[in-house]
Amino acid sequence: MSLRRAACLSLLIAIALASTARAGTVGREQDVVDLKLGQRVLVDDGTCPAGQVKEVRGAKMTDKGISRTSSCVPRHGPKSK
């Protein structure tokens, strides 16, 4: 396999992994129905203090599916100059 082909393949794999790990934002925790292992979803339901948002993560695999954990994390808005 040439070096160029290996570099392209590794780039595609990195993009695929990064897109699955990206956090989305929803309004209610009940809207998160198909949480995958390692996935992070930001929930803006007003339960966290000002300047923070709830982050729900697919923590570990159990017999009944993926167990969830949640914590308040800093809210990242648009970057200012």
Side-chain angles (χ1 to χ4, degrees), residues 35-54:
L35 191 66
K36 296 176 179 63
L37 191 61
Q39 182 180 6
R40 298 175 181 199
V41 178
L42 300 176
V43 179
D44 191 9
D45 59 359
T47 57
C48 291
Q52 294 186 345
V53 65
K54 185 192 301 183

Side-chain angles (χ1 to χ4, degrees), residues 6-23:
C8 287
L9 182 61
S10 63
L11 179 65
L12 287 173
I13 291 171
I15 290 171
L17 291 175
S19 66
T20 59
R22 216 171 53 203

Side-chain angles (χ1 to χ4, degrees), residues 2-3 17-18 29 32 36 38-39 41 43 49 51 55 57 63 65 75 77-78:
S2 71
L3 183 60
L17 291 175
E29 193 170 349
V32 181
K36 296 176 179 63
Q39 182 180 6
V41 178
V43 179
E55 180 183 69
R57 292 181 303 275
D63 293 336
R75 179 185 305 267

